[in-house]
Amino acid sequence: MKIIRTKDYKDMSRKAANIISAQVILKPDSVLGLATGSTPIGTYSQLAEWNQKGDCDFSHVSTYNLDEYRGLTHSDPQSYHYFMRVNFFDKINIDLANTHVPDGANPDAQAACSHYDQIVREAGYPDLQLLGIGRNGHIGFNEPDDHFSKGTHCVDLTESTIEANSRLFEKKEDVPRQAYTMGVQTIMYARMVLILASGPEKAQAVYDMCYGPIAPSCPASILQLHQNCIVMADEAALSKCPAAE
Ligand code: PGA
């Protein structure tokens, strides 16, 4: 794991965008694994700005998102399909046919998840997987558990995730209770992982990810075993980690 300490959210977003941009310049047909949540929004805005200036071309890139709420249509403003359009895809020159998000609108969890595994496998897995981290150490919607998950599967969201995500819904009862998520094993197949964290509420999860035991009680801790994982975090998120980082 390489830990990069940034001053603040803006600095983190710009540096993360630099790494993704370099990936796309070096390999124009990169397969990118993408994430939703508040954390990557600044990175997406920076990439969109560079794209509009002609400095970062997404026309040959394909993308695979980590997860989607079960039961939301693609046009639902709370869906991750919608989030990705508004925050990224509609601002860059990507071909929407090359963007993929698990199909939360398909009530058949088994069919939706195995189809997603198949297309991610056929794409050869991400060259670069962008991740956020939950306050409970989750990656994607892989919540703390007694085992690490493998492929895409349907999960019951934990109370802490429902609580954290309720800020984006009118009321807590509106937060879907289930989601389809790429599994931890699939995330580990990415050739590079870039995990972002900002703010003091992520400090314990970042410490556990980097220095805790490698255990499914903190799903992100498995990244200690990844051969090319970059943790990009601001001062506040690294406040529980040794100062040398
Ligand atoms: P956040 O979510 O970026 O909105 O904090 C991160 C996550 O839950 O993975």
Side-chain angles (χ1 to χ4, degrees), residues 36-40 132-135 138-141 165 167-168 202:
T36 52
S38 306
T39 310
I133 183 169
R135 297 169 201 203
H138 75 202
I139 45 176
F141 271 134
N165 290 7
R167 71 189 192 281
L168 305 168
K202 299 292 173 68

Side-chain angles (χ1 to χ4, degrees), residues 213-244:
I214 297 165
S217 52
C218 175
S221 64
I222 192 93
L223 296 172
Q224 291 177 39
L225 298 180
H226 194 280
Q227 58 177 356
N228 190 10
C229 175
I230 299 172
V231 178
M232 177 88 74
D234 64 14
E235 296 280 1
L238 284 170
S239 58
K240 287 187 193 284
C241 293

